[in-house]
Amino acid sequence: MNDSILASLRQAIPALALKTAPADLEHYGRDWTRRWTPAPLAIALPDSIGQVQALVRWANAHGVAIVPSGGRTGLSGGAVASRGELVVSLERMNRVLGFDAVDRTLTVQPGAVLQTVQDAAREQGLAYPVDFGARGSCTIGGNIATNAGGIRVIRYGNTRDWIAGLKLVTGSGELLELGRSLVKDASGYDLRQLVIGAEGTLGIVVEATLRLADPPPPAQTMLLAVPSFEVLMDVFALFRGRLRLQAFEFLTDRGLEHVLAHGGQNPFDAVHPWYVLTEYDAAAEADQADALAVFEHAAEHGWVLDGVIANSEEQTSQLWRLREGITEATARYRPYKNDVSVRVAAMPAFLAEAQALLGASYPDFEVVWFGHIGDGNLHINVLQPDGSDDDEFLRQCAHVTELLAGLLQRHGGSISAEHGVGLLKKPYLSSSRSDADVVLMRAIRQAFDPRGIMNPGKIFD
Ligand code: FAD
Ligand code: MLT
Ligand code: ZN
Protein backbone atom coordinates (compact mmCIF):
# COMPACT_ATOMS: atom_id res chain seq x y z
CA MET A 1 0.00 0.00 0.00
CA ASN A 2 2.76 2.43 1.03
CA ASP A 3 4.73 1.46 -2.08
CA SER A 4 1.87 2.27 -4.42
CA ILE A 5 1.10 5.58 -2.69
CA LEU A 6 4.75 6.60 -2.92
CA ALA A 7 4.94 5.49 -6.55
CA SER A 8 2.02 7.79 -7.26
CA LEU A 9 3.81 10.68 -5.48
CA ARG A 10 6.98 10.04 -7.48
CA GLN A 11 4.96 9.99 -10.65
CA ALA A 12 3.11 13.22 -9.76
CA ILE A 13 6.31 15.15 -8.85
CA PRO A 14 9.29 13.34 -10.39
CA ALA A 15 11.86 15.93 -9.22
CA LEU A 16 10.75 15.81 -5.56
CA ALA A 17 13.41 14.44 -3.18
CA LEU A 18 12.02 11.64 -1.00
CA LYS A 19 13.60 9.69 1.84
CA THR A 20 12.25 6.37 3.04
CA ALA A 21 15.19 4.67 4.78
CA PRO A 22 14.26 3.53 8.34
CA ALA A 23 16.91 5.80 9.88
CA ASP A 24 15.42 8.79 8.04
CA LEU A 25 11.86 7.92 9.09
CA GLU A 26 13.10 7.77 12.68
CA HIS A 27 15.12 10.98 12.43
CA TYR A 28 12.48 13.14 10.74
CA GLY A 29 9.50 11.61 12.52
CA ARG A 30 10.24 13.01 15.96
CA ASP A 31 11.05 16.23 17.74
CA TRP A 32 12.80 16.94 21.06
CA THR A 33 9.98 15.35 23.07
CA ARG A 34 11.05 11.77 22.18
CA ARG A 35 7.79 10.47 23.66
CA TRP A 36 6.04 9.22 20.50
CA THR A 37 7.33 6.47 18.23
CA PRO A 38 8.07 7.89 14.79
CA ALA A 39 6.20 6.14 11.97
CA PRO A 40 5.95 8.46 8.96
CA LEU A 41 5.02 7.27 5.48
CA ALA A 42 8.06 9.02 3.98
CA ILE A 43 9.98 12.29 4.10
CA ALA A 44 9.48 14.78 1.25
CA LEU A 45 12.10 17.51 0.85
CA PRO A 46 10.73 20.09 -1.58
CA ASP A 47 13.08 22.73 -2.96
CA SER A 48 10.55 25.26 -4.26
CA ILE A 49 7.15 26.73 -3.55
CA GLY A 50 5.90 25.00 -6.69
CA GLN A 51 6.92 21.62 -5.31
CA VAL A 52 5.20 22.35 -1.98
CA GLN A 53 1.99 23.25 -3.80
CA ALA A 54 2.19 20.17 -5.98
CA LEU A 55 2.68 17.84 -3.06
CA VAL A 56 -0.13 19.42 -1.00
CA ARG A 57 -2.45 18.96 -3.99
CA TRP A 58 -1.30 15.38 -4.37
CA ALA A 59 -1.87 14.78 -0.63
CA ASN A 60 -5.40 16.18 -0.96
CA ALA A 61 -6.18 13.91 -3.85
CA HIS A 62 -4.91 10.85 -1.99
CA GLY A 63 -6.10 11.75 1.54
CA VAL A 64 -2.54 11.70 2.89
CA ALA A 65 -1.83 13.68 6.08
CA ILE A 66 1.14 16.06 6.09
CA VAL A 67 3.42 17.04 8.97
CA PRO A 68 5.42 20.21 8.22
CA SER A 69 8.89 19.91 9.65
CA GLY A 70 11.54 22.51 10.48
CA GLY A 71 14.47 21.89 12.84
CA ARG A 72 12.39 19.48 15.03
CA THR A 73 13.53 21.27 18.16
CA GLY A 74 9.86 21.59 19.19
CA LEU A 75 9.02 20.60 22.75
CA SER A 76 5.34 19.67 22.45
CA GLY A 77 5.26 17.05 19.70
CA GLY A 78 4.02 19.40 16.94
CA ALA A 79 6.41 17.96 14.36
CA VAL A 80 5.93 14.33 15.41
CA ALA A 81 4.78 11.94 12.67
CA SER A 82 3.63 8.74 14.36
CA ARG A 83 0.59 7.83 12.24
CA GLY A 84 1.84 7.25 8.70
CA GLU A 85 1.94 10.93 7.73
CA LEU A 86 4.09 12.40 4.99
CA VAL A 87 6.70 14.60 6.67
CA VAL A 88 7.41 17.70 4.60
CA SER A 89 10.85 18.89 5.62
CA LEU A 90 11.67 22.45 4.60
CA GLU A 91 15.41 21.93 5.08
CA ARG A 92 16.23 22.43 1.40
CA MET A 93 14.39 25.76 1.36
CA ASN A 94 16.84 27.44 3.71
CA ARG A 95 18.15 30.52 1.91
CA VAL A 96 18.12 34.19 2.78
CA LEU A 97 16.43 35.66 -0.30
CA GLY A 98 16.92 39.39 0.12
CA PHE A 99 17.28 42.48 2.27
CA ASP A 100 15.31 45.69 1.85
CA ALA A 101 17.18 48.62 3.41
CA VAL A 102 14.24 51.02 3.21
CA ASP A 103 11.67 48.67 4.71
CA ARG A 104 14.36 47.18 6.97
CA THR A 105 13.18 43.65 6.21
CA LEU A 106 14.84 40.36 5.44
CA THR A 107 13.08 37.83 3.24
CA VAL A 108 13.93 34.19 3.92
CA GLN A 109 12.86 30.70 3.02
CA PRO A 110 11.13 28.76 5.83
CA GLY A 111 13.99 26.35 6.46
CA ALA A 112 16.44 29.18 7.24
CA VAL A 113 17.98 28.51 10.63
CA LEU A 114 17.35 31.22 13.24
CA GLN A 115 21.06 31.87 13.80
CA THR A 116 21.64 32.29 10.04
CA VAL A 117 18.88 34.88 10.02
CA GLN A 118 20.35 36.69 13.04
CA ASP A 119 23.77 36.73 11.33
CA ALA A 120 22.29 38.01 8.06
CA ALA A 121 20.57 40.85 9.93
CA ARG A 122 23.82 41.71 11.74
CA GLU A 123 25.66 41.90 8.42
CA GLN A 124 23.24 44.66 7.46
CA GLY A 125 23.93 46.54 10.70
CA LEU A 126 20.55 45.53 12.11
CA ALA A 127 19.15 42.82 14.37
CA TYR A 128 16.56 40.06 14.22
CA PRO A 129 15.80 40.08 17.94
CA VAL A 130 14.00 36.79 18.53
CA ASP A 131 16.52 34.59 20.32
CA PHE A 132 16.77 31.40 22.35
CA GLY A 133 18.91 28.35 23.01
CA ALA A 134 17.82 26.36 19.93
CA ARG A 135 18.99 29.18 17.62
CA GLY A 136 21.55 26.92 15.92
CA SER A 137 18.99 24.39 14.70
CA CYS A 138 15.43 25.73 14.81
CA THR A 139 14.02 27.32 11.66
CA ILE A 140 12.03 30.43 10.87
CA GLY A 141 9.14 28.27 9.62
CA GLY A 142 9.02 26.45 12.96
CA ASN A 143 9.39 29.73 14.88
CA ILE A 144 6.43 31.19 13.02
CA ALA A 145 4.35 28.04 13.46
CA THR A 146 4.92 28.08 17.24
CA ASN A 147 5.06 31.88 17.68
CA ALA A 148 8.38 31.26 19.41
CA GLY A 149 9.27 33.47 22.37
CA GLY A 150 12.64 33.12 24.06
CA ILE A 151 14.95 35.25 26.14
CA ARG A 152 14.34 38.73 24.65
CA VAL A 153 10.54 38.84 24.76
CA ILE A 154 10.65 41.27 27.66
CA ARG A 155 12.22 43.82 25.32
CA TYR A 156 11.23 42.77 21.82
CA GLY A 157 8.10 40.61 22.02
CA ASN A 158 7.41 37.25 20.38
CA THR A 159 7.95 36.06 16.81
CA ARG A 160 4.56 37.42 15.81
CA ASP A 161 5.81 40.97 16.36
CA TRP A 162 8.51 40.56 13.69
CA ILE A 163 6.67 38.97 10.78
CA ALA A 164 6.04 41.62 8.15
CA GLY A 165 4.67 39.14 5.66
CA LEU A 166 4.55 35.49 4.82
CA LYS A 167 3.64 33.16 2.01
CA LEU A 168 1.50 30.16 2.88
CA VAL A 169 0.51 27.11 0.90
CA THR A 170 -2.87 26.32 2.44
CA GLY A 171 -4.20 22.85 3.10
CA SER A 172 -5.89 22.96 -0.30
CA GLY A 173 -2.68 23.90 -2.09
CA GLU A 174 -3.48 27.57 -2.70
CA LEU A 175 -0.61 30.07 -2.37
CA LEU A 176 -1.49 33.07 -0.16
CA GLU A 177 0.64 36.17 0.27
CA LEU A 178 -0.21 37.59 3.69
CA GLY A 179 0.82 40.89 5.25
CA ARG A 180 2.92 41.94 2.20
CA SER A 181 5.28 43.99 4.44
CA LEU A 182 2.76 46.81 4.71
CA VAL A 183 3.23 48.87 7.85
CA LYS A 184 -0.42 49.84 7.68
CA ASP A 185 -3.19 47.68 6.28
CA ALA A 186 -6.77 47.99 7.44
CA SER A 187 -8.28 45.98 4.60
CA GLY A 188 -9.95 43.29 6.67
CA TYR A 189 -8.83 40.30 8.73
CA ASP A 190 -5.09 39.87 9.28
CA LEU A 191 -4.76 36.26 8.14
CA ARG A 192 -0.99 36.38 8.67
CA GLN A 193 -1.53 36.52 12.42
CA LEU A 194 -3.78 33.45 12.28
CA VAL A 195 -0.99 31.46 10.66
CA ILE A 196 1.54 32.51 13.33
CA GLY A 197 1.18 30.00 16.15
CA ALA A 198 -1.05 27.63 14.12
CA GLU A 199 1.52 24.81 14.42
CA GLY A 200 1.27 23.88 10.78
CA THR A 201 -2.47 23.14 10.94
CA LEU A 202 -3.48 25.79 8.40
CA GLY A 203 -0.79 25.23 5.80
CA ILE A 204 2.92 25.32 5.11
CA VAL A 205 4.83 28.59 5.49
CA VAL A 206 6.97 28.77 2.34
CA GLU A 207 8.51 32.23 2.70
CA ALA A 208 8.70 34.92 5.37
CA THR A 209 9.62 38.58 5.43
CA LEU A 210 11.00 39.59 8.81
CA ARG A 211 11.19 43.05 10.29
CA LEU A 212 14.58 44.01 11.65
CA ALA A 213 15.40 46.19 14.64
CA ASP A 214 18.21 48.56 15.49
CA PRO A 215 21.08 46.61 17.00
CA PRO A 216 20.58 46.34 20.76
CA PRO A 217 22.63 48.82 22.81
CA PRO A 218 25.68 47.42 24.63
CA ALA A 219 24.50 45.35 27.56
CA GLN A 220 25.80 44.03 30.84
CA THR A 221 24.90 40.59 32.20
CA MET A 222 24.37 39.99 35.91
CA LEU A 223 23.69 36.74 37.74
CA LEU A 224 21.98 37.13 41.10
CA ALA A 225 21.60 34.55 43.83
CA VAL A 226 18.18 34.99 45.45
CA PRO A 227 17.16 33.56 48.85
CA SER A 228 13.59 32.53 48.10
CA PHE A 229 11.16 32.44 45.27
CA GLU A 230 8.86 34.83 47.15
CA VAL A 231 11.24 37.72 46.47
CA LEU A 232 11.80 36.95 42.77
CA MET A 233 9.06 39.31 41.63
CA ASP A 234 10.23 42.03 44.03
CA VAL A 235 13.67 41.81 42.45
CA PHE A 236 12.03 41.96 39.03
CA ALA A 237 9.95 45.04 39.90
CA LEU A 238 13.05 46.78 41.28
CA PHE A 239 15.26 46.01 38.27
CA ARG A 240 12.58 46.77 35.70
CA GLY A 241 11.78 50.06 37.39
CA ARG A 242 15.38 51.29 37.40
CA LEU A 243 17.14 49.66 34.40
CA ARG A 244 16.35 49.11 30.72
CA LEU A 245 16.10 45.33 30.70
CA GLN A 246 16.99 43.15 27.72
CA ALA A 247 16.39 39.87 29.56
CA PHE A 248 15.18 38.71 32.96
CA GLU A 249 15.35 34.95 33.45
CA PHE A 250 15.32 32.65 36.43
CA LEU A 251 16.62 29.21 37.36
CA THR A 252 17.05 27.15 40.50
CA ASP A 253 19.85 25.19 42.15
CA ARG A 254 18.56 22.00 40.48
CA GLY A 255 18.92 23.32 36.96
CA LEU A 256 22.28 24.81 37.83
CA GLU A 257 23.57 21.52 39.18
CA HIS A 258 22.64 19.71 35.96
CA VAL A 259 24.46 22.34 33.88
CA LEU A 260 27.49 22.21 36.18
CA ALA A 261 27.59 18.43 35.74
CA HIS A 262 27.76 19.13 31.99
CA GLY A 263 30.77 21.41 32.22
CA GLY A 264 29.18 24.72 33.25
CA GLN A 265 31.11 26.90 35.70
CA ASN A 266 29.64 28.17 38.95
CA PRO A 267 30.69 31.80 39.45
CA PHE A 268 29.76 31.62 43.15
CA ASP A 269 31.50 29.70 45.92
CA ALA A 270 28.24 28.09 46.97
CA VAL A 271 25.06 26.79 45.35
CA HIS A 272 22.04 28.99 46.14
CA PRO A 273 18.36 28.06 45.88
CA TRP A 274 17.20 30.59 43.27
CA TYR A 275 18.95 32.63 40.60
CA VAL A 276 18.10 35.50 38.30
CA LEU A 277 20.02 36.10 35.10
CA THR A 278 19.43 39.59 33.81
CA GLU A 279 20.78 41.72 31.02
CA TYR A 280 20.30 45.48 30.80
CA ASP A 281 21.48 48.40 28.67
CA ALA A 282 24.89 49.53 29.82
CA ALA A 283 26.28 51.78 27.13
CA ALA A 284 27.80 54.24 29.58
CA GLU A 285 29.61 54.02 32.91
CA ALA A 286 26.62 55.74 34.49
CA ASP A 287 24.40 52.77 33.51
CA GLN A 288 26.81 50.39 35.19
CA ALA A 289 26.82 52.53 38.33
CA ASP A 290 23.00 52.50 38.28
CA ALA A 291 23.02 48.72 38.06
CA LEU A 292 25.34 48.47 41.04
CA ALA A 293 23.12 50.82 43.03
CA VAL A 294 20.11 48.66 42.19
CA PHE A 295 21.98 45.55 43.27
CA GLU A 296 22.92 47.20 46.57
CA HIS A 297 19.33 48.27 47.13
CA ALA A 298 18.22 44.65 46.64
CA ALA A 299 20.96 43.41 48.98
CA GLU A 300 19.89 45.87 51.69
CA HIS A 301 16.34 44.45 51.51
CA GLY A 302 17.69 40.91 51.79
CA TRP A 303 16.44 40.11 48.28
CA VAL A 304 19.79 38.94 46.95
CA LEU A 305 22.50 36.83 48.56
CA ASP A 306 25.24 37.33 46.02
CA GLY A 307 25.82 38.65 42.53
CA VAL A 308 28.29 38.63 39.71
CA ILE A 309 28.61 40.87 36.68
CA ALA A 310 30.21 39.47 33.54
CA ASN A 311 33.28 41.44 32.58
CA SER A 312 34.07 39.79 29.26
CA GLU A 313 32.25 38.20 26.36
CA GLU A 314 33.49 34.85 27.53
CA GLN A 315 32.08 35.37 31.01
CA THR A 316 28.79 36.56 29.54
CA SER A 317 28.54 33.29 27.57
CA GLN A 318 29.43 31.29 30.67
CA LEU A 319 26.62 32.95 32.64
CA TRP A 320 24.15 32.42 29.81
CA ARG A 321 25.18 28.79 29.58
CA LEU A 322 23.96 28.29 33.16
CA ARG A 323 20.47 29.25 32.01
CA GLU A 324 20.34 28.13 28.38
CA GLY A 325 22.18 24.87 29.03
CA ILE A 326 19.43 23.42 31.26
CA THR A 327 17.38 21.92 28.40
CA GLU A 328 20.32 20.01 27.00
CA ALA A 329 21.72 19.05 30.42
CA THR A 330 18.38 17.50 31.48
CA ALA A 331 17.44 16.00 28.08
CA ARG A 332 18.56 12.49 28.97
CA TYR A 333 15.74 12.34 31.58
CA ARG A 334 13.17 13.08 28.84
CA PRO A 335 11.50 15.67 31.07
CA TYR A 336 7.76 16.09 31.03
CA LYS A 337 7.62 19.77 30.14
CA ASN A 338 5.15 22.28 31.43
CA ASP A 339 5.40 25.66 29.72
CA VAL A 340 2.90 27.89 31.47
CA SER A 341 2.18 31.58 31.64
CA VAL A 342 0.13 34.03 33.65
CA ARG A 343 -0.04 37.82 33.56
CA VAL A 344 3.10 39.23 35.15
CA ALA A 345 0.90 40.85 37.79
CA ALA A 346 -0.61 37.46 38.66
CA MET A 347 2.80 35.84 38.97
CA PRO A 348 3.44 36.13 42.74
CA ALA A 349 0.13 34.50 43.68
CA PHE A 350 0.41 31.89 40.96
CA LEU A 351 4.00 31.04 41.85
CA ALA A 352 3.11 30.45 45.48
CA GLU A 353 0.21 28.15 44.64
CA ALA A 354 2.08 26.34 41.88
CA GLN A 355 5.01 25.65 44.13
CA ALA A 356 2.77 24.27 46.86
CA LEU A 357 0.87 22.12 44.36
CA LEU A 358 3.95 20.71 42.68
CA GLY A 359 5.82 20.18 45.93
CA ALA A 360 2.92 18.10 47.26
CA SER A 361 2.17 16.30 43.98
CA TYR A 362 5.62 15.25 42.85
CA PRO A 363 7.35 14.12 46.04
CA ASP A 364 9.17 11.33 44.18
CA PHE A 365 10.27 13.21 41.08
CA GLU A 366 12.92 15.82 40.54
CA VAL A 367 11.28 19.02 39.28
CA VAL A 368 13.47 21.59 37.55
CA TRP A 369 12.03 25.11 37.31
CA PHE A 370 13.36 27.87 35.11
CA GLY A 371 12.09 30.33 32.59
CA HIS A 372 11.27 33.76 31.35
CA ILE A 373 9.93 35.07 34.60
CA GLY A 374 9.90 38.66 33.37
CA ASP A 375 7.25 37.56 30.84
CA GLY A 376 5.21 35.56 33.35
CA ASN A 377 6.43 32.32 31.69
CA LEU A 378 7.62 29.34 33.75
CA HIS A 379 9.13 26.10 32.51
CA ILE A 380 8.39 23.32 34.98
CA ASN A 381 10.28 20.18 33.97
CA VAL A 382 9.54 16.87 35.65
CA LEU A 383 12.50 14.54 35.16
CA GLN A 384 11.75 10.88 34.59
CA PRO A 385 13.68 8.77 37.09
CA ASP A 386 16.14 6.32 35.56
CA GLY A 387 14.63 2.88 35.07
CA SER A 388 11.05 3.99 35.77
CA ASP A 389 8.08 2.86 33.72
CA ASP A 390 7.13 5.31 30.93
CA ASP A 391 3.37 4.81 31.23
CA GLU A 392 3.31 5.18 35.00
CA PHE A 393 5.48 8.31 34.83
CA LEU A 394 3.23 9.87 32.19
CA ARG A 395 0.10 8.90 34.12
CA GLN A 396 1.36 10.75 37.18
CA CYS A 397 2.43 13.76 35.10
CA ALA A 398 -0.99 13.86 33.43
CA HIS A 399 -2.71 13.84 36.81
CA VAL A 400 -0.62 16.76 38.10
CA THR A 401 -0.96 18.66 34.81
CA GLU A 402 -4.77 18.47 35.27
CA LEU A 403 -4.34 20.15 38.65
CA LEU A 404 -1.92 22.70 37.23
CA ALA A 405 -4.33 23.42 34.37
CA GLY A 406 -7.06 24.10 36.94
CA LEU A 407 -4.76 26.47 38.77
CA LEU A 408 -3.88 28.26 35.55
CA GLN A 409 -7.54 28.62 34.75
CA ARG A 410 -8.18 30.28 38.10
CA HIS A 411 -5.28 32.68 37.48
CA GLY A 412 -6.29 33.38 33.87
CA GLY A 413 -3.13 31.79 32.47
CA SER A 414 -2.12 29.55 29.60
CA ILE A 415 -1.08 25.90 29.46
CA SER A 416 1.29 26.74 26.59
CA ALA A 417 3.21 29.98 26.72
CA GLU A 418 5.62 29.47 23.83
CA HIS A 419 6.17 25.79 22.96
CA GLY A 420 2.76 25.23 21.38
CA VAL A 421 0.01 22.72 22.15
CA GLY A 422 1.12 20.01 19.73
CA LEU A 423 0.30 16.56 21.10
CA LEU A 424 1.59 17.14 24.61
CA LYS A 425 -0.82 19.82 25.78
CA LYS A 426 -3.82 18.88 23.61
CA PRO A 427 -5.72 17.27 26.53
CA TYR A 428 -5.53 20.55 28.48
CA LEU A 429 -6.49 23.03 25.77
CA SER A 430 -9.86 23.72 27.37
CA SER A 431 -8.16 25.12 30.47
CA SER A 432 -6.78 28.00 28.42
CA ARG A 433 -9.34 28.43 25.64
CA SER A 434 -13.13 28.64 25.88
CA ASP A 435 -15.43 26.27 24.01
CA ALA A 436 -16.40 29.16 21.76
CA ASP A 437 -12.71 29.80 20.97
CA VAL A 438 -12.19 26.18 20.00
CA VAL A 439 -15.31 26.12 17.80
CA LEU A 440 -13.97 29.16 15.93
CA MET A 441 -10.48 27.67 15.67
CA ARG A 442 -11.95 24.53 14.12
CA ALA A 443 -13.95 26.61 11.62
CA ILE A 444 -10.83 28.57 10.66
CA ARG A 445 -8.93 25.37 10.21
CA GLN A 446 -11.73 23.99 8.02
CA ALA A 447 -11.55 27.12 5.85
CA PHE A 448 -7.79 26.83 5.29
CA ASP A 449 -7.67 23.05 5.12
CA PRO A 450 -11.05 21.59 4.09
CA ARG A 451 -9.84 17.99 3.96
CA GLY A 452 -8.02 18.20 7.29
CA ILE A 453 -4.67 17.00 5.93
CA MET A 454 -2.45 19.60 7.61
CA ASN A 455 -0.87 18.25 10.78
CA PRO A 456 -4.05 16.46 11.93
CA GLY A 457 -4.30 15.59 15.61
CA LYS A 458 -2.17 18.55 16.70
CA ILE A 459 -3.69 21.29 18.94
CA PHE A 460 -7.10 19.52 18.78
CA ASP A 461 -8.56 16.38 17.20
P1 FAD B 1 9.77 22.06 14.53
O1 FAD B 1 10.02 21.47 15.85
O2 FAD B 1 10.28 21.33 13.34
O3 FAD B 1 8.19 22.25 14.35
C1 FAD B 1 7.43 22.94 15.31
C2 FAD B 1 6.01 23.12 14.77
O4 FAD B 1 6.05 23.97 13.62
C3 FAD B 1 5.37 21.83 14.29
O5 FAD B 1 4.00 21.89 14.58
C4 FAD B 1 5.60 21.83 12.80
O6 FAD B 1 4.64 21.08 12.11
C5 FAD B 1 5.48 23.31 12.48
N1 FAD B 1 6.26 23.78 11.33
C6 FAD B 1 7.61 23.71 11.14
N2 FAD B 1 7.93 24.32 9.99
C7 FAD B 1 6.78 24.78 9.43
C8 FAD B 1 6.47 25.49 8.24
N3 FAD B 1 7.39 25.86 7.36
N4 FAD B 1 5.17 25.78 7.99
C9 FAD B 1 4.21 25.42 8.87
N5 FAD B 1 4.45 24.76 10.01
C10 FAD B 1 5.72 24.45 10.28
N6 FAD B 1 10.89 27.79 22.15
C11 FAD B 1 10.57 29.04 22.55
O7 FAD B 1 9.53 29.56 22.15
N7 FAD B 1 11.38 29.74 23.40
C12 FAD B 1 12.53 29.24 23.86
O8 FAD B 1 13.21 29.86 24.66
C13 FAD B 1 12.94 27.96 23.40
N8 FAD B 1 14.12 27.44 23.77
C14 FAD B 1 14.48 26.21 23.34
C15 FAD B 1 15.72 25.71 23.70
C16 FAD B 1 16.11 24.44 23.29
C17 FAD B 1 17.47 23.93 23.68
C18 FAD B 1 15.23 23.65 22.53
C19 FAD B 1 15.62 22.28 22.06
C20 FAD B 1 13.99 24.15 22.15
C21 FAD B 1 13.60 25.42 22.54
N9 FAD B 1 12.37 25.97 22.16
C22 FAD B 1 12.04 27.24 22.55
C23 FAD B 1 11.41 25.18 21.38
C24 FAD B 1 11.64 25.21 19.85
O9 FAD B 1 12.97 25.49 19.53
C25 FAD B 1 10.73 26.23 19.18
O10 FAD B 1 9.40 25.80 19.32
C26 FAD B 1 11.01 26.46 17.71
O11 FAD B 1 10.22 27.54 17.25
C27 FAD B 1 10.74 25.24 16.84
O12 FAD B 1 11.32 25.45 15.56
P2 FAD B 1 11.68 24.20 14.65
O13 FAD B 1 12.14 24.71 13.32
O14 FAD B 1 12.58 23.28 15.33
O15 FAD B 1 10.23 23.58 14.47
C1 MLT C 1 13.98 27.69 27.37
O1 MLT C 1 13.45 28.72 27.77
O2 MLT C 1 15.16 27.39 27.63
C2 MLT C 1 13.19 26.81 26.47
O3 MLT C 1 11.87 27.14 26.33
C3 MLT C 1 13.52 25.37 26.50
C4 MLT C 1 12.86 24.53 27.55
O4 MLT C 1 11.81 24.89 28.08
O5 MLT C 1 13.41 23.45 27.83
ZN1 ZN D 1 11.55 29.10 27.10
Side-chain angles (χ1 to χ4, degrees):
M1 164 68 174
N2 283 1
D3 286 350
S4 64
I5 282 273
L6 288 176
S8 123
L9 176 57
R10 286 195 177 95
Q11 196 179 20
I13 320 170
L16 178 67
L18 278 179
K19 292 186 178 185
T20 54
D24 290 323
L25 301 184
E26 169 98 18
H27 176 70
Y28 289 91
R30 59 161 44 132
D31 64 7
W32 261 62
T33 48
R34 293 189 296 130
R35 285 279 168 201
W36 290 271
T37 307
L41 166 70
I43 318 303
L45 301 105
D47 63 8
S48 67
I49 293 177
Q51 281 195 351
V52 175
Q53 279 189 281
L55 74 83
V56 171
R57 288 194 177 124
W58 171 87
N60 262 285
H62 292 81
V64 171
I66 282 177
V67 176
S69 181
R72 291 173 306 284
T73 63
L75 299 170
S76 61
V80 167
S82 59
R83 299 193 307 190
E85 303 94 330
L86 179 67
V87 171
V88 177
S89 164
L90 283 309
E91 73 181 30
R92 291 190 178 195
M93 296 173 65
N94 62 5
R95 283 181 300 123
V96 174
L97 298 174
F99 167 66
D100 189 311
V102 178
D103 284 336
R104 303 214 315 172
T105 55
L106 201 63
T107 298
V108 303
Q109 291 186 307
V113 167
L114 174 58
Q115 195 160 16
T116 307
V117 168
Q118 292 170 340
D119 291 346
R122 210 172 291 121
E123 276 167 28
Q124 302 297 342
L126 294 169
Y128 180 65
V130 175
D131 194 22
F132 50 91
R135 63 181 74 76
S137 34
C138 68
T139 64
I140 289 297
N143 296 171
I144 291 173
T146 56
N147 184 29
I151 56 177
R152 309 271 167 213
V153 171
I154 193 169
R155 181 72 159 260
Y156 294 103
N158 296 290
T159 297
R160 82 165 66 253
D161 299 301
W162 298 95
I163 307 303
L166 58 82
K167 289 185 184 167
L168 181 84
V169 172
T170 66
S172 51
E174 210 170 330
L175 179 63
L176 303 182
E177 202 171 332
L178 306 175
R180 296 177 299 139
S181 301
L182 297 171
V183 174
K184 302 184 81 172
D185 179 10
S187 63
Y189 304 157
D190 189 345
L191 302 177
R192 161 192 51 168
Q193 292 296 347
L194 285 180
V195 172
I196 301 168
E199 301 185 47
T201 61
L202 301 183
I204 301 181
V205 175
V206 289
E207 193 177 296
T209 298
L210 314 172
R211 289 197 199 290
L212 302 182
D214 287 326
Q220 204 169 46
T221 307
M222 189 190 281
L223 181 71
L224 301 166
V226 178
S228 69
F229 85 98
E230 284 88 357
V231 302
L232 277 175
M233 297 314 285
D234 294 322
V235 177
F236 174 57
L238 173 69
F239 274 67
R240 187 171 58 170
R242 303 256 302 260
L243 303 173
R244 287 271 294 147
L245 299 181
Q246 295 191 22
F248 196 90
E249 302 276 314
F250 95 107
L251 59 146
T252 69
D253 49 356
R254 301 213 174 225
L256 182 89
E257 277 164 3
H258 283 285
V259 179
L260 296 182
H262 273 71
Q265 288 175 20
N266 188 354
F268 301 123
D269 296 334
V271 170
H272 299 286
W274 299 84
Y275 298 90
V276 163
L277 183 64
T278 182
E279 213 161 85
Y280 43 86
D281 293 2
E285 270 182 29
D287 299 325
Q288 301 178 12
D290 282 351
L292 265 185
V294 173
F295 172 80
E296 276 159 17
H297 182 114
E300 277 158 22
H301 281 76
W303 292 341
V304 296
L305 299 169
D306 208 345
V308 59
I309 294 175
N311 55 22
S312 65
E313 264 186 39
E314 194 191 335
Q315 217 183 349
T316 302
S317 314
Q318 280 170 6
L319 293 186
W320 270 107
R321 182 172 177 195
L322 300 176
R323 161 64 185 85
E324 291 194 323
I326 300 173
T327 307
E328 196 150 353
T330 52
R332 84 166 188 82
Y333 300 97
R334 291 191 300 147
Y336 179 87
K337 284 183 173 284
N338 290 292
D339 162 39
V340 304
S341 68
V342 293
R343 285 180 306 114
V344 178
M347 199 63 165
F350 173 74
L351 257 178
E353 286 188 48
Q355 214 203 17
L357 169 74
L358 296 167
S361 310
Y362 282 131
D364 302 331
F365 297 148
E366 181 179 355
V367 182
V368 177
W369 297 58
F370 59 97
H372 319 283
I373 193 149
D375 310 322
N377 178 188
L378 299 178
H379 296 312
I380 305 164
N381 288 250
V382 188
L383 308 196
Q384 181 166 356
D386 284 338
S388 61
D389 178 66
D390 273 10
D391 290 345
E392 178 55 21
F393 173 71
L394 291 176
R395 197 191 58 70
Q396 293 197 39
C397 290
H399 170 66
V400 181
T401 307
E402 284 291 350
L403 301 176
L404 187 63
L407 189 63
L408 282 162
Q409 203 164 18
R410 289 202 296 287
H411 287 273
S414 173
I415 194 74
S416 175
E418 56 172 15
H419 296 164
V421 176
L423 292 170
L424 190 66
K425 290 291 147 37
K426 185 167 69 168
Y428 314 100
L429 183 64
S430 64
S431 68
S432 303
R433 305 300 297 259
S434 69
D435 290 350
D437 279 10
V438 177
V439 167
L440 277 176
M441 287 202 277
R442 286 186 196 283
I444 289 164
R445 198 242 157 99
Q446 169 75 22
F448 275 79
D449 177 24
R451 292 209 58 189
I453 62 159
M454 292 307 312
N455 220 0
K458 312 295 167 53
I459 307 181
F460 38 61
D461 284 318

